[in-house]
Amino acid sequence: MTYCRQQALGFSFNICVDAVNEEGLELNTSVTQLSSTSCVLDIRVGCRENYQETKTLELNSLAITWQVPVADMHGLYFGGNPTHELSYLPFNKRTRVVAANTGLPFIALTHRNGSARAAFGLLDQYNEVSLHSYLDEATRCYHFKLDKPGTGNGQTLVSEGTWQESLYIFRADVPEAQPTPPHQPWYTVLADYRSWVDEHTQPKLMPVPDSAFDPVFCSWTAIHHDVNHDWLMRNLAIAKDLGFKTLITDDGWFLPTDKGLFGDYRYVGQWQPEASKFPDFRAHVAAVKALGFRYLLWVAPFMVGYDSPKAEEYKDLLTIGQKLERFHNLSPWHGATGQVITDTLITLIKDYDLDGFKLDFIDAVKPTSTRTQGSRESTLGNAISETLQTVISKLQQVKPDLLIEFRNTYTNLASRSYANMYRSSDVPINPSLNRWQAVLLRLLASDRAVHTDPGLWHPEDSPENVAVHLINLLAAVPMVSIELDKYPKAHLELLRYWLGFYNQHRDTLTHGHFEPIFKQGANPLIYFRGQQETIAALYDDVPIQLEDTACWILNASTQNAVYIDACEGQFEMIARDKFGTVTGQKRVIHPRKLIIEIGGSLELTLLS
């Protein structure tokens, strides 16, 4: 093994390279300063000058280790898709393997007020890397390690001539005399990291058409595998009137009801409509489109169930999948897999005039998966990325404005090349967690259309709770999945108003400056700042700051008294209830406390 040590921004980084052939190996590092608080550590592995025995460099691993004193730090962003990690420091040891189809090679430590304290991220977004963290009581330090490929399955990194990696480093500059740290939101460091990655890798990003931001009606949580033509047509007639413009027909469209079992995918693999549910699928899609909807289908392109007829047909292409859910995966290492997936998806688009797909279980292909005979030599990250980029580029030749949705467990910087919509995942009847996931996705990939997980609530829930739920869905492109034909009229009227609000203020909500507020690892408030207006969506009992533009306050907190922080001037005020009905209008001077119905809103215009 070959070692070296490099100092950067006060951290000491240890770099260890394990090569198949150590003879003649040379390891060099350098540091490039980006700003007073950020720099890049460049690592180059190659052969010594005049050493010409081999031109191929094969690495068993590259490991980078360092430690961070845990002072003024209270939360961790670890490999993307955090749940509660931003609200505490995970104790003891933790490992996460990230690759092109799952996670992000980025770690950040945050203050309880939401500011950034330290951050580290790799340039390479494709090859597998294990992120290790260890919070040590004895040293009061976090010990970090990045290990590539780090999967323990004999995978190596192969390069012709040289192999390079770069590590982005951020460390907040806190003057000793200053008791409170300067407030640079942690997500601005994530944005700087993303910009640095894009500048140096120049990724080919999948275009995001404006249609990707249309409200979505989805079949999944409402009816699961029992989706069928009659149910969809009944509900879509209502959904059209409420303001939905895109349909996702989710899992179950391709299997009879008795074989579409929740969490059991043993029969999956033949991607053709089930005749008992959709007697004429082309006519069905045409009828949906006649209502004004775009049509997307759920497909898990790598999945082949244990009892699927395709399991025998593709037996030479299969690798391990998920035993509990009873499916194999098509191996991304095999060249034929891309063609199988391409043929399947192009056939569906052409035969039924589809607009795109919700592609699922991309992260079910694991770095530890076994390869089939005839597989190419590649890491999982490179293999799956190359496969999906090839598939999507061919689909775009058929459908230039193609829509592809990914779930958040496999959304990152790499997947922007083959997905233009990212979505929160599997949080039914949980609006706050749905919003949390959507907010984190928007901060990770501001150049994608981010969707909420399908909103679902009980038909006997109160109008107040439903309105609060819908204000949570405004954190991203709202998606809903309920049985519209069985829910009370009041719930539909709430949907009509808040989807109308989204459509009316869509430019501000989706393309304006997105500014979520983080405190104690929670997100109590979001400011959406447009050219002509600001929308403040309030989710907890915290004060807000009024703007000198037109300002809307949406109250999804727990009380109807909303406190204003340091506001001067005279405002025209229009109060609306949860249904959007005007309940009051007056002028107020220097407001400090405003009464806003829970689930309702207040529109303010500065007069002087």
Side-chain angles (χ1 to χ4, degrees):
M1 294 187 182
T2 304
Y3 301 86
C4 77
R5 180 173 295 177
Q6 178 68 59
Q7 299 290 323
L9 291 181
F11 298 116
S12 182
F13 295 89
N14 295 297
I15 298 101
C16 175
V17 173
D18 178 13
V20 172
N21 183 2
E22 293 283 335
E23 189 175 357
L25 191 70
E26 187 172 61
L27 170 62
N28 293 303
T29 62
S30 61
V31 175
T32 302
Q33 203 74 22
L34 300 179
S35 70
S36 63
T37 57
S38 63
C39 70
V40 173
L41 168 60
D42 290 308
I43 301 168
R44 181 183 178 277
V45 183
C47 294
R48 289 194 300 270
E49 190 175 358
N50 300 323
Y51 191 87
Q52 300 294 336
E53 285 193 20
T54 178
K55 293 183 179 180
T56 300
L57 184 67
E58 187 173 2
L59 304 183
N60 292 317
S61 71
L62 165 75
I64 308 170
T65 59
W66 71 100
Q67 67 180 36
V68 179
V70 181
D72 208 40
M73 299 173 182
H74 311 103
L76 178 69
Y77 181 102
F78 190 59
N81 190 32
T83 50
H84 303 294
E85 293 165 347
L86 279 172
S87 65
Y88 75 106
L89 296 174
F91 174 62
N92 214 327
K93 296 180 180 180
R94 175 170 294 200
T95 296
R96 178 175 292 169
V97 178
V98 304
N101 70 326
T102 182
L104 181 75
F106 181 81
I107 298 167
L109 287 155
T110 65
H111 187 270
R112 62 183 179 273
N113 67 4
S115 63
R117 312 315 305 141
F120 313 89
L122 291 175
L123 181 63
D124 176 16
Q125 301 296 307
Y126 298 98
N127 292 301
E128 295 88 279
V129 56
S130 291
L131 312 183
H132 303 273
S133 71
Y134 172 43
L135 182 56
D136 184 9
E137 290 175 295
T139 64
R140 273 75 72 186
C141 289
Y142 248 127
H143 298 261
F144 292 113
K145 179 181 180 181
L146 303 180
D147 190 12
K148 300 184 65 169
T151 55
N153 65 342
Q155 178 67 57
T156 60
L157 300 167
V158 180
S159 178
E160 294 299 321
T162 61
W163 190 88
Q164 298 183 72
E165 180 58 279
S166 296
L167 179 69
Y168 171 92
I169 305 163
F170 169 87
R171 187 171 194 171
D173 183 14
V174 185
E176 291 185 7
Q178 184 171 324
T180 302
H183 189 75
Q184 179 177 0
W186 67 267
Y187 56 81
T188 64
V189 177
L190 176 60
D192 288 342
Y193 166 69
R194 181 182 64 238
S195 297
W196 171 73
V197 169
D198 287 352
E199 178 185 352
H200 288 83
T201 61
Q202 296 293 308
K204 183 181 179 182
L205 304 179
M206 187 177 182
V208 184
D210 191 57
S211 59
F213 296 92
D214 286 338
V216 181
F217 183 76
C218 178
S219 65
W220 178 244
T221 51
I223 198 169
H224 288 150
H225 298 91
D226 293 334
V227 61
N228 59 73
H229 169 77
D230 291 340
W231 184 90
L232 281 171
M233 296 311 296
R234 286 197 313 272
N235 282 274
L236 290 175
I238 302 170
K240 173 189 176 182
D241 184 52
L242 298 178
F244 292 99
K245 298 180 181 179
T246 297
L247 166 69
I248 295 179
T249 296
D250 215 291
D251 189 359
W253 58 273
F254 48 87
L255 287 173
T257 298
D258 62 340
K259 291 187 176 182
L261 305 176
F262 193 90
D264 184 346
Y265 292 95
R266 74 180 87 175
Y267 300 110
V268 171
Q270 287 186 297
W271 304 104
Q272 286 299 316
E274 167 57 35
S276 64
K277 297 178 177 180
F278 299 97
D280 186 340
F281 198 70
R282 185 172 182 83
H284 160 73
V285 174
V288 171
K289 288 194 162 195
L291 292 173
F293 287 89
R294 293 175 187 84
Y295 204 113
L296 276 64
L297 266 186
W298 182 94
V299 177
F302 290 93
M303 182 187 290
V304 179
Y306 289 175
D307 295 331
S308 168
K310 294 295 183 179
E312 176 63 26
E313 181 179 344
Y314 296 146
K315 63 181 180 181
D316 294 333
L317 302 181
L318 299 179
T319 185
I320 58 173
Q322 294 184 183
K323 186 175 182 180
L324 183 64
E325 288 82 6
R326 305 186 186 189
F327 68 85
H328 311 280
N329 280 311
L330 291 169
S331 170
W333 287 283
H334 204 296
T337 290
Q339 192 60 53
V340 169
I341 295 174
T342 299
D343 290 346
T344 297
L345 298 184
I346 283 183
T347 296
L348 288 170
I349 281 183
K350 287 184 173 180
D351 285 357
Y352 306 116
D353 190 28
L354 302 178
D355 296 293
F357 299 97
K358 170 184 171 182
L359 297 184
D360 213 342
F361 285 91
I362 304 299
D363 56 336
V365 187
K366 304 298 183 184
T368 53
S369 297
T370 54
R371 300 185 191 178
T372 58
Q373 186 174 3
S375 293
R376 54 186 167 179
E377 287 293 329
S378 178
T379 62
L380 167 66
N382 275 322
I384 205 162
S385 180
E386 290 171 9
T387 298
L388 289 172
Q389 288 192 54
T390 299
V391 169
I392 295 305
S393 64
K394 291 181 178 178
L395 293 180
Q396 287 174 305
Q397 295 173 17
V398 178
K399 181 72 66 172
D401 56 349
L402 181 72
L403 297 174
I404 297 292
E405 185 188 84
F406 273 21
R407 279 192 298 119
N408 64 342
T409 53
Y410 46 91
T411 55
N412 48 33
L413 300 186
S415 55
R416 294 175 300 162
S417 297
Y418 31 85
N420 47 24
M421 304 188 300
Y422 286 0
R423 177 178 66 86
S424 304
S425 65
D426 299 338
V427 284
I429 322 182
N430 196 331
S432 60
L433 185 54
N434 201 348
R435 167 175 49 85
W436 173 263
Q437 292 185 3
V439 166
L440 270 293
L441 281 176
R442 289 191 65 167
L443 296 175
L444 170 65
S446 58
D447 56 356
R448 305 292 91 184
V450 172
H451 294 179
T452 65
D453 192 53
L456 173 72
W457 57 88
H458 196 282
E460 295 178 9
D461 210 343
S462 70
E464 177 182 293
N465 286 334
V466 174
V468 167
H469 197 136
L470 294 174
I471 295 173
N472 275 271
L473 295 185
L474 295 182
V477 179
M479 186 188 302
V480 173
S481 182
I482 63 174
E483 295 189 86
L484 295 171
D485 60 335
K486 295 182 180 179
Y487 272 60
K489 181 181 178 181
H491 290 197
L492 301 187
E493 290 306 312
L494 288 166
L495 265 171
R496 185 192 313 281
Y497 172 64
W498 286 109
L499 286 180
F501 184 92
Y502 170 82
N503 286 322
Q504 182 181 355
H505 300 273
R506 171 164 146 172
D507 191 59
T508 298
L509 291 167
T510 61
H511 300 304
H513 178 64
F514 181 66
E515 185 182 333
I517 304 301
F518 289 88
K519 291 185 182 299
Q520 301 280 37
N523 166 227
L525 173 65
I526 302 175
Y527 292 106
F528 306 86
R529 304 188 191 277
Q531 291 184 348
Q532 305 297 327
E533 65 177 357
T534 292
I535 298 172
L538 184 63
Y539 300 105
D540 205 346
D541 306 326
V542 297
I544 69 168
Q545 203 152 20
L546 293 185
E547 303 295 318
D548 57 5
T549 59
C551 181
W552 286 79
I553 303 173
L554 315 182
N555 187 12
S557 71
T558 65
Q559 60 182 8
N560 63 7
V562 175
Y563 291 88
I564 308 301
D565 185 15
C567 173
E568 301 296 334
Q570 183 180 23
F571 291 83
E572 182 76 23
M573 182 182 76
I574 302 174
R576 291 177 172 83
D577 66 11
K578 61 184 72 68
F579 294 96
T581 303
V582 174
T583 57
Q585 184 170 357
K586 64 180 181 179
R587 292 187 177 186
V588 293
I589 299 175
H590 310 327
R592 292 293 180 268
K593 182 174 81 170
L594 298 171
I595 302 302
I596 309 175
E597 176 180 308
I598 297 174
S601 64
L602 201 65
E603 181 183 6
L604 295 115
T605 304
L606 181 64
L607 300 177
S608 61

